[in-house]
Amino acid sequence: MATTSSMFMYSLTIQPPTSVTQAILGQFAGTREQQILTASGSRLTIHRPDPTQGKISTILSQDVFGIIRSLAAFRLAGSNKDFIIIGSDSGRITIIEYVPAQNRFNRLHLETFGKSGIRRVIPGQYLAVDPKGRACLIASAEKNKLVYVLNRNAQAELTISSPLEAHKPQTLVFALVGLDVGYENPIFAVLEVDYTECDQDPTGQAFEEVEKSLVYYELDLGLNHVVRKWSDPVDRTASMLLQVPGGSDGPSGVLVCGLDNVTYRHSNQDAFRVPIPRRRGVTENPERKRCITAGVMHRMRGAFFFLLQSEDGDLFKVTIDMVEDDSGQPTGEVKKLKIKYFDTVPIASTLCILKSGFLFVASETGNHHFYQFEKLGDDDNEAEYDSDSFPADPTEPYTPVYFHPRASENVNLVESIDSMNPQLDFKVANLTDEDAPQIYSICGSGARSSLRTLKHGLEVNDIVDSELPSVPAAVWTTKITRNDEFDAYIVLSFDNGTLVLSIGETVEEVTDTGFLSSASTLAVQQLGEDALIQVHPKGIRHIRADRRVNEWPVPQHRSIVAATTNERQVAVALSSGEIVYFEMDSDGSLAEYDEKREMSGTVTCLSLGEVPEGRVRSQFLAVGCDDSTVRILSLDPESTLENKSVQALTSAPSALSIMAMPDSTSGGSTLYLHIGLYSGVYLRTVLDEITGELSDTRTRFLGPKPAKLFRVSVKGKPAVLALSSRSWLGYSDPQTKNFMLTPLSYVPLEWGSNFSSEQCTEGMVGIQGQNLRIFSIEKLGSNLLQESIPLTYTPRKFVRHPEHPLFYTVESENNTLSIATKEQLLNDKTVVNGDGVMLPPEEFGYPRAQGHWASCIHVVDPVTAKTTLQQIDLTDNEAATTIAAVSFASQSDETFLVVGTGKDVTVSPRSSSAGFIYIYRFLEDGKELEFIHKTKTEQPPSALLAFQGRLIAGIGNELRIYDLGLKQLLRKCQAQVVPNLIVGLQTQGSRIIVSDVQESVVYVVYKQQENRLIPFVDDVVARWTTCTTMVDYETVAGGDKFGNLWLLRCPQKASEEADEDGSGAHLVHERQYLQGAPNRLALMCHFYPQDIPTSMQKTQLVAGGRDVLVWTGLQGTLGILVPFVSREDVDFFQTLEQHLRGEEAPLAGRDHLIYRSYYVPVKGMIDGDLCERYSLLANDKKQMIAGELDRSVREIERKISDMRTRVAY
């Protein structure tokens, strides 16, 4: 296989994975406040919880280009900063720290101990730290355990010892935790099973009798080695350990969580056991045993408690009572273990309790939740069960205990953090007729599933929306004196006059401000210390603090057409094409510069920059003329109004703005000239602060209306508000400092200005038609806005109505009671009072029942009603599997909705009693569905597709063509084209691309005259296909269950032969090759993105952008593959990627090239996520790489940002 390719793609992530596999707490910044560190796939993210507002914000997110398997935080004795240990697939242990000053992670240690990849015997799966930060144990699923001693040297730097081995062959590890032993030798507790005898016993007797043990490993710090100190058998179902506080705080030891019970164990104490309470209710099976899936221990002054979560999401509070001595002090000997129901939250992968009284729930599916504790459940009347009533021996039986679930009392939800995990299918469509399409995605599971609309934009917080007497042309805000904190006036300009509003408790009109109210206004500015200035078409009005007014009148027969101001300078352009420049004198009056500067054409716009700190004037004046040029004029006293540089444009400029903004290239701030054109194009150019030269122009199309630009400030940093047919904000990304231009999710504005008052310290004021709007922008971190419509069960597939903006979803939930069975149980006469209460399923989940399916079809309107319009529930234990909208030629091309279902489906091993294909007719423009008929099939249909006016269905491993009859579907043609199970179908012309669950894809051609389906090309590699899409007639792109993306192409000759006219006999009789089709597909591109692709689509994401391949991943990832056009770009990015692999090596020690080639060598793909890390490098490294590439740093950064902005967000 050649690793070079004739086709190259650039892989980019639009939204990183949102599922959290693990979260840890710590004071990573070295301050008093705690941060939350989460791992999502290959990303490490630090979140900062804000206890005052009850919000969580992301500080830093970084891709480590490796799979994060385990995380732990530790702190050396006496320090106030937590370090982070990462167990990954790199075969190395990594210790990193967070550096808050530079907002980045810094790697301190990288110790190799084994091979890379996730293997049974290579440590990295389990990680535990001694609570005093003296040692850590990293273990594999089998056999190997390594202990590293952590210490500090004379320079107070963190040191790590060479590893000490604690290996035990033929031993499986289930859980691992560090024991709290104070300052005695560190001890680690492990749940282990020794399978030596099971391996040698063919009868299976030894497997039945195998024991699970709790083992203590002690690190002797004096002798520097690890010993196996204590071992004792525990309940065979035990799967989780939690550390119990020791030393002066508690008895030490562990909680062992198994099926239906929780046991306290320690080497020098008796065992104490309590059962896990089960839910009571008619729809609950009283025999179903629960297990603990997540838990957290929290200590307070002189006390501690555990919160354990069962697989239903119920939280239980577990406490330990200790024996007291004569003076009433606890002795450290355990008296009993107690458990009681606490509250119900979504099922979590990790629970974290913050010292500030919050609970962070990293949900397994759906949004993550941030709760505040209202109380600790001490004074409620929930039944509490203690270990005195239950035997400690795990083999002895006991009576189960029950509780009634109820709405939350102890915790209160303060924030829900968007998460699209698991994401099952998506469509890109422009249903709202905006200039850019939206992304519609189905995600989540159970009652917490949803259909989400993703839009590119920033969230806007609307504060005021009030109607004005007539339509204003422009708006400004101004302070009265230079030192004012807040704005005092809002000035509105109308066609025939000016209105001034004062800003206070209320906003009201004022007339004694000195402003000329009988003329429209061109500019307003607070000048010098305490003066105001108003520019109107007939002159400049200078209003002093004592209300004296100086007026500069315009020369006869002329008027002012454009003006620009800052706190010390004013420049105006006259209708004759002259520019008049004023500067403030030492006495506060405006002095006119003697000469006027004649421009070649009519001036359309002007801009002065802000006065830099410590200077008396802005150096440059930018002038835009109707001859499509921008000129930079010098304002230096020696060379006033002299031409410095000129830039030609594609159309006349409509707005200019000179402003300094933070810049990733220089690391500091840079002067930019922002240009808006009449054609709706926006340009940003670097303005050299010394020579006035213009360089490095970047363009973006905003919309069909002329662009207007306004200087605003967001989060204390300068930003540019650009208005065209929609509103945009240009700002520096808080993390990378790259310039971002993002649309606002807001009404289109005609004019804007900064706004600051006591109620809203940092907002903007804008005009929309006849309305005045005041708004603010809170979040700059995410530029994808989500709207969510709740669904009933886990969505499997969805399809769009061919004409109307509606979606149809099929949803099914396994091991869940269907609505009919549930109602039957609830209406049973023998229901005990209190058991018939139905709790909201989005919080408590659905009642479980083995072998049952609950399933439905939904009509969803994501645009106008933003809700589900109709729900059709399936009966008879059927589960919907797939859906398609098909127009049948036999019914004069009317479109029907086709749904495939399976009856009594068992997922593994795959079986079912029957399958059905339902046909529905669209009524009322698709808002309602009418059932027509259903057709029985031997197996559930797994793929449906419209094909040449008929329906093509994948049923098991058979491909069938159906037509619509009156009573049922009529089978027209069938063929067995794949070995196992058809999971996907794509078509163009008479070619069908069939994907098999584990044998990649097969190209099939349908021959009309013979009515035959003939496979003619298949693949060399057995890919476990999850999704496919056709890129062109010959090429298919797809993803597989191992997390790979690939492009396959049919050989030209085979493709032409398949399409030859005739019966297709030449294809049937062609010699098979290795028991497959006669030809083989060629691999064009291959890449490992690390998330499992669930759907793909070839589409455009931005107005006027190129076609790209968009794919979604199971964990909530959104990614794109962008094709390269020129070979020159490919060479440039390949070289850049190669340099970055060396200079910006992945944080966790994985080799980037090997990581992206996990299963198959990477081919024809360039990793855009790695290339984008260029802007985060240190300046000297940037310069070095730029030198190697023979380009400037700016040029490289422009190329990288262009790759993204031209096709996506």
Side-chain angles (χ1 to χ4, degrees):
M1 284 163 73
T3 49
T4 56
S5 179
S6 58
M7 178 174 185
F8 275 88
M9 309 284 273
Y10 185 77
S11 159
L12 267 180
T13 305
I14 297 178
Q15 177 179 286
T18 50
S19 75
V20 171
T21 47
Q22 196 184 346
I24 56 171
L25 278 176
Q27 297 171 349
F28 303 115
T31 55
R32 301 275 308 180
E33 64 173 21
Q34 287 178 303
Q35 286 91 19
I36 302 170
L37 181 79
T38 60
S40 317
S42 63
R43 285 190 97 80
L44 268 187
T45 311
I46 283 200
H47 308 271
R48 179 177 162 264
D50 185 344
T52 53
Q53 293 182 313
K55 284 198 168 9
I56 288 192
S57 54
T58 304
I59 314 177
L60 173 64
S61 179
Q62 181 174 340
D63 200 326
V64 303
F65 301 109
I67 297 170
I68 302 167
R69 300 165 73 188
S70 50
L71 287 175
F74 76 94
R75 181 186 311 195
L76 293 173
S79 82
N80 60 354
K81 180 171 185 171
D82 287 341
F83 296 105
I84 302 151
I85 306 181
I86 305 174
S88 70
D89 61 343
S90 61
R92 299 162 159 191
I93 187 167
T94 317
I95 300 185
I96 61 169
E97 64 171 337
Y98 170 62
V99 186
Q102 296 157 337
N103 191 24
R104 65 183 187 90
F105 291 119
N106 178 28
R107 189 165 71 202
L108 301 170
H109 287 287
L110 186 65
E111 297 292 323
T112 308
F113 52 68
K115 294 178 175 171
S116 63
I118 293 180
R119 303 163 192 255
R120 263 173 37 168
V121 292
I122 303 295
Q125 189 61 37
Y126 301 102
L127 182 59
V129 172
D130 170 61
K132 296 284 185 250
R134 297 167 297 169
C136 73
L137 173 64
I138 188 164
S140 57
E142 189 181 335
K143 186 184 172 191
N144 293 338
K145 298 181 197 67
L146 296 172
V147 176
Y148 286 91
V149 181
L150 306 163
N151 215 324
R152 53 158 77 88
N153 61 14
Q155 286 78 45
E157 291 164 340
L158 173 72
T159 60
I160 185 167
S161 71
S162 45
L164 306 169
E165 295 184 352
H167 301 337
K168 187 163 190 291
Q170 295 189 312
T171 303
L172 298 174
V173 173
F174 286 84
L176 171 66
V177 71
L179 230 59
D180 189 347
V181 289
Y183 282 104
E184 291 174 22
N185 279 338
I187 294 180
F188 297 96
V190 185
L191 271 184
E192 289 184 350
V193 167
D194 186 334
Y195 66 82
T196 317
E197 287 170 10
C198 307
D199 248 11
Q200 287 150 9
D201 172 25
T203 62
Q205 183 68 28
F207 173 70
E208 294 301 325
E209 293 167 2
V210 74
E211 281 188 338
K212 192 174 277 187
S213 316
L214 175 67
V215 185
Y216 280 8
Y217 287 91
E218 181 180 19
L219 164 66
D220 192 320
L221 290 167
L223 299 170
N224 206 24
H225 75 137
V226 185
V227 288
R228 189 181 164 100
K229 187 181 180 186
W230 176 74
S231 169
D232 205 28
V234 291
D235 181 3
R236 189 170 166 181
T237 61
S239 59
M240 192 171 172
L241 295 176
L242 286 150
Q243 160 195 335
V244 177
S248 57
D249 298 334
S252 187
V254 289
L255 284 189
V256 182
C257 305
L259 185 66
D260 211 33
N261 71 83
V262 176
T263 316
Y264 167 79
R265 298 302 303 262
H266 193 32
S267 55
N268 59 6
Q269 305 253 15
D270 294 338
F272 295 89
R273 186 167 76 135
V274 289
I276 298 169
R278 305 177 188 176
R279 283 188 183 182
R280 194 182 281 289
V282 271
T283 54
E284 294 291 340
N285 172 7
E287 297 307 309
R288 184 163 74 88
K289 297 179 175 180
R290 315 305 206 261
C291 61
I292 297 296
T293 56
V296 60
M297 182 267 295
H298 184 63
R299 23 176 129 211
M300 304 166 294
R301 283 204 180 92
F304 62 88
F305 66 88
F306 295 87
L307 282 186
L308 305 182
Q309 188 181 40
S310 74
E311 72 222 66
D312 294 329
D314 301 320
L315 289 178
F316 299 101
K317 182 177 176 183
V318 175
T319 47
I320 294 176
D321 281 3
M322 288 190 274
V323 177
E324 294 180 351
D325 60 13
D326 304 337
S327 59
Q329 292 298 314
T331 56
E333 190 183 332
V334 175
K335 186 166 145 194
K336 59 184 171 188
L337 188 64
K338 298 196 289 195
I339 188 167
K340 69 193 280 194
Y341 173 59
F342 186 74
D343 260 339
T344 301
V345 299
I347 299 170
S349 58
T350 314
L351 297 167
C352 296
I353 298 179
L354 283 79
K355 286 180 184 159
S356 50
F358 288 90
L359 169 70
F360 176 66
V361 176
S363 308
E364 272 195 359
T365 67
N367 290 0
H368 308 303
H369 283 183
F370 194 50
Y371 293 93
Q372 184 162 15
F373 281 101
E374 299 293 327
K375 55 189 205 301
L376 291 176
D378 298 326
D379 47 3
D380 55 14
N381 44 17
E382 283 294 333
E384 188 163 46
Y385 304 100
D386 62 33
S387 53
D388 293 350
S389 331
F390 301 96
D393 181 4
T395 55
E396 283 186 42
Y398 56 84
T399 0
V401 295
Y402 296 92
F403 73 95
H404 278 295
R406 51 160 169 77
S408 291
E409 287 178 2
N410 300 307
V411 292
N412 170 31
L413 181 65
V414 286
E415 192 180 15
S416 174
I417 300 144
D418 282 334
S419 167
M420 291 172 62
N421 159 53
Q423 183 168 230
L424 297 145
D425 198 359
F426 88 118
K427 303 267 182 283
V428 177
N430 191 358
L431 301 187
T432 52
D433 286 338
E434 291 174 17
D435 46 7
Q438 306 85 48
I439 299 171
Y440 296 91
S441 159
I442 47 173
C443 51
S445 71
R448 302 185 69 231
S449 53
S450 57
L451 180 126
R452 306 224 175 169
T453 306
L454 277 85
K455 261 188 201 152
H456 181 218
L458 289 173
E459 199 176 338
V460 172
N461 182 8
D462 214 340
I463 300 165
V464 174
D465 176 7
S466 66
E467 205 173 324
L468 296 165
S470 63
V471 180
V475 62
W476 293 269
T477 54
T478 180
K479 304 172 179 180
I480 292 181
T481 70
R482 186 180 185 167
N483 301 325
D484 285 359
E485 193 181 343
F486 302 119
D487 292 327
Y489 297 139
I490 296 178
V491 181
L492 289 157
S493 168
F494 297 89
D495 290 344
N496 53 359
T498 296
L499 179 70
V500 183
L501 307 173
S502 75
I503 304 168
E505 288 297 313
T506 58
V507 172
E508 51 204 30
E509 188 180 341
V510 281
T511 50
D512 59 345
T513 54
F515 282 99
L516 182 67
S517 58
S518 59
S520 61
T521 303
L522 295 170
V524 172
Q525 173 76 40
Q526 189 275 316
L527 195 75
E529 289 303 322
D530 51 11
L532 292 172
I533 200 159
Q534 175 193 15
V535 182
H536 54 90
K538 287 295 171 201
I540 300 173
R541 198 173 171 89
H542 183 193
I543 306 157
R544 291 297 187 81
D546 52 11
R547 297 293 154 91
R548 282 183 302 147
V549 174
N550 294 348
E551 184 89 36
W552 177 84
V554 175
Q556 264 186 325
H557 310 306
R558 292 174 203 172
S559 61
I560 298 176
V561 291
T564 176
T565 59
N566 64 28
E567 58 201 51
R568 299 187 58 88
Q569 297 157 289
V570 179
V572 296
L574 305 181
S575 49
S576 57
E578 293 168 312
I579 287 177
V580 190
Y581 167 63
F582 302 84
E583 203 169 296
M584 200 175 80
D585 273 353
S586 48
D587 64 349
S589 62
L590 274 183
E592 181 185 346
Y593 177 65
D594 354 353
E595 291 175 33
K596 296 184 176 63
R597 167 76 197 261
E598 282 255 3
M599 301 307 284
S600 53
T602 309
V603 176
T604 56
C605 47
L606 297 170
S607 175
L608 281 164
E610 294 277 307
V611 179
E613 212 155 307
R615 299 276 186 91
V616 292
R617 66 175 69 79
S618 164
Q619 292 290 85
F620 304 112
L621 169 68
V623 183
C625 297
D626 63 357
D627 58 358
S628 301
T629 59
V630 170
R631 289 182 167 75
I632 301 294
L633 307 184
S634 164
L635 299 179
D636 210 48
E638 280 81 62
S639 59
T640 310
L641 299 185
E642 273 184 23
N643 216 359
K644 281 286 186 184
S645 63
V646 63
Q647 177 156 346
L649 307 166
T650 52
S651 119
S654 54
L656 296 172
S657 178
I658 296 178
M659 57 198 287
M661 290 180 84
D663 175 31
S664 63
T665 312
S666 62
S669 113
T670 301
L671 204 57
Y672 289 110
L673 171 64
H674 302 270
I675 308 168
L677 306 185
Y678 276 103
S679 57
V681 172
Y682 158 85
L683 296 96
R684 184 184 68 124
T685 305
V686 175
L687 175 61
D688 191 296
E689 297 181 26
I690 292 129
T691 63
E693 289 293 322
L694 296 171
S695 60
D696 185 31
T697 307
R698 305 195 187 180
T699 55
R700 193 79 182 268
F701 177 61
L702 303 183
K705 282 178 155 181
K708 300 193 186 102
L709 306 175
F710 304 96
R711 185 186 294 132
V712 292
S713 109
V714 178
K715 296 267 177 257
K717 297 271 191 297
V720 59
L721 182 67
L723 307 179
S724 174
S725 55
R726 61 198 282 202
S727 314
W728 298 69
L729 186 76
Y731 58 97
S732 291
D733 183 87
Q735 201 176 314
T736 61
K737 298 287 178 282
N738 284 339
F739 182 75
M740 309 275 281
L741 190 65
T742 310
L744 301 181
S745 170
Y746 204 49
V747 292
L749 300 171
E750 277 99 60
W751 198 274
S753 176
N754 229 11
F755 178 81
S756 174
S757 72
E758 280 180 53
Q759 290 79 21
C760 162
T761 49
E762 196 176 55
M764 296 170 209
V765 57
I767 294 169
Q768 176 241 337
Q770 205 172 325
N771 290 18
L772 182 72
R773 285 177 176 259
I774 298 175
F775 59 95
S776 67
I777 293 165
E778 302 293 328
K779 288 186 189 161
L780 289 180
S782 69
N783 62 358
L784 275 178
L785 283 172
Q786 290 190 15
E787 277 182 4
S788 177
I789 298 167
L791 301 173
T792 309
Y793 306 116
T794 306
R796 304 291 168 177
K797 288 267 182 293
F798 75 136
V799 67
R800 187 196 157 182
H801 190 286
E803 285 121 37
H804 303 290
L806 296 169
F807 284 113
Y808 304 89
T809 62
V810 285
E811 300 156 38
S812 56
E813 200 68 43
N814 195 5
N815 296 338
T816 300
L817 286 179
S818 68
I819 286 183
T821 324
K822 204 156 55 180
E823 281 174 359
Q824 193 182 328
L825 286 169
L826 287 169
N827 299 333
D828 194 349
K829 293 286 176 286
T830 57
V831 172
V832 188
N833 188 22
D835 286 359
V837 182
M838 271 319 290
L839 295 157
E842 50 277 6
E843 286 172 41
F844 296 89
Y846 290 109
R848 309 274 183 92
Q850 203 67 33
H852 285 253
W853 283 87
S855 185
C856 70
I857 304 164
H858 266 145
V859 183
V860 188
D861 176 357
V863 180
T864 44
K866 298 197 173 172
T867 177
T868 50
L869 304 176
Q870 186 187 8
Q871 177 170 339
I872 300 169
D873 288 297
L874 299 179
T875 51
D876 283 352
N877 205 25
E878 283 181 44
T881 53
T882 179
I883 188 167
V886 181
S887 69
F888 286 98
S890 59
Q891 303 288 324
S892 60
D893 285 341
E894 184 186 344
T895 305
F896 293 85
L897 189 71
V898 186
V899 177
T901 69
K903 185 172 159 65
D904 306 326
V905 178
T906 312
V907 181
S908 176
R910 193 184 304 116
S911 71
S912 61
S913 58
F916 295 96
I917 300 177
Y918 285 74
I919 303 285
Y920 292 94
R921 176 176 263 129
F922 295 121
L923 300 178
E924 297 194 25
D925 292 344
K927 289 180 183 159
E928 273 186 33
L929 297 176
E930 178 193 28
F931 174 66
I932 306 288
H933 57 63
K934 67 177 182 177
T935 307
K936 190 171 179 180
T937 57
E938 308 84 77
Q939 291 185 36
S942 46
L944 300 169
L945 187 69
F947 176 71
Q948 298 185 352
R950 298 198 274 189
L951 166 72
I952 191 158
I955 295 164
N957 59 1
E958 287 187 347
L959 192 61
R960 291 188 187 163
I961 296 180
Y962 284 102
D963 210 338
L964 188 61
L966 286 174
K967 293 285 177 65
Q968 64 167 29
L969 289 169
L970 312 172
R971 195 185 309 181
K972 295 293 183 190
C973 172
Q974 79 173 35
Q976 193 175 326
V977 294
V978 297
N980 305 300
L981 172 75
I982 295 174
V983 290
L985 296 169
Q986 303 286 335
T987 180
Q988 273 187 30
S990 57
R991 178 171 297 179
I992 304 156
I993 292 180
V994 183
S995 33
D996 181 75
V997 67
Q998 66 183 65
E999 289 288 340
S1000 193
V1001 295
V1002 179
Y1003 283 37
V1004 177
V1005 63
Y1006 175 63
K1007 292 295 181 187
Q1008 186 90 36
Q1009 59 195 77
E1010 287 273 309
N1011 191 23
R1012 286 186 78 163
L1013 290 161
I1014 309 165
F1016 65 95
V1017 57
D1018 59 16
D1019 198 4
V1020 204
V1021 180
R1023 305 179 199 281
W1024 291 67
T1025 323
T1026 53
C1027 60
T1028 51
T1029 186
M1030 288 186 80
V1031 182
D1032 57 40
Y1033 192 57
E1034 257 90 41
T1035 317
V1036 65
D1040 64 38
K1041 282 185 186 171
F1042 293 92
N1044 298 302
L1045 288 171
W1046 29 263
L1047 262 91
L1048 302 170
R1049 184 167 284 170
C1050 172
Q1052 188 74 32
K1053 186 162 171 283
S1055 174
E1056 284 164 4
E1057 276 177 9
D1059 288 343
E1060 280 173 15
D1061 290 345
S1063 63
H1066 59 291
L1067 293 175
V1068 182
H1069 301 305
E1070 199 165 349
R1071 218 172 105 219
Q1072 287 194 343
Y1073 179 63
L1074 301 176
Q1075 280 88 46
N1079 299 293
R1080 290 291 176 267
L1081 295 165
L1083 179 69
M1084 303 303 292
C1085 300
H1086 202 287
F1087 188 69
Y1088 174 75
Q1090 210 254 291
D1091 200 351
I1092 299 170
T1094 52
S1095 51
M1096 287 184 100
Q1097 191 181 335
K1098 178 182 158 190
T1099 182
Q1100 295 173 358
L1101 282 182
V1102 293
R1106 289 213 311 275
D1107 271 356
V1108 291
L1109 281 175
V1110 186
W1111 65 274
T1112 55
L1114 186 71
Q1115 300 174 29
T1117 315
L1118 270 176
I1120 56 171
L1121 302 176
V1122 190
F1124 279 104
V1125 181
S1126 71
R1127 185 76 215 188
E1128 182 193 352
D1129 280 353
V1130 174
D1131 294 342
F1132 168 80
F1133 279 103
Q1134 264 186 325
T1135 323
L1136 175 65
E1137 188 184 33
Q1138 195 180 325
H1139 282 299
L1140 283 166
R1141 280 182 183 141
E1143 293 303 324
E1144 177 66 9
L1147 193 66
R1150 188 83 165 106
D1151 182 289
H1152 177 267
L1153 182 63
I1154 297 174
Y1155 167 67
R1156 289 299 188 200
S1157 312
Y1158 229 107
Y1159 297 97
V1160 173
V1162 63
K1163 175 178 178 178
M1165 285 271 192
I1166 284 162
D1167 187 358
D1169 295 338
L1170 178 67
C1171 294
E1172 288 190 343
R1173 290 202 60 77
Y1174 177 78
S1175 62
L1176 297 169
L1177 291 176
N1179 260 352
D1180 52 339
K1181 283 188 178 176
K1182 282 189 192 175
Q1183 296 288 357
M1184 190 206 82
I1185 294 175
E1188 294 279 337
L1189 289 166
D1190 202 16
R1191 311 260 175 139
S1192 70
V1193 174
R1194 275 203 188 284
E1195 225 175 320
I1196 295 175
E1197 291 199 340
R1198 183 169 91 215
K1199 272 187 109 67
I1200 295 169
S1201 88
D1202 276 359
M1203 280 306 286
R1204 184 184 276 272
T1205 53
R1206 280 185 185 162
V1207 293
Y1209 324 126

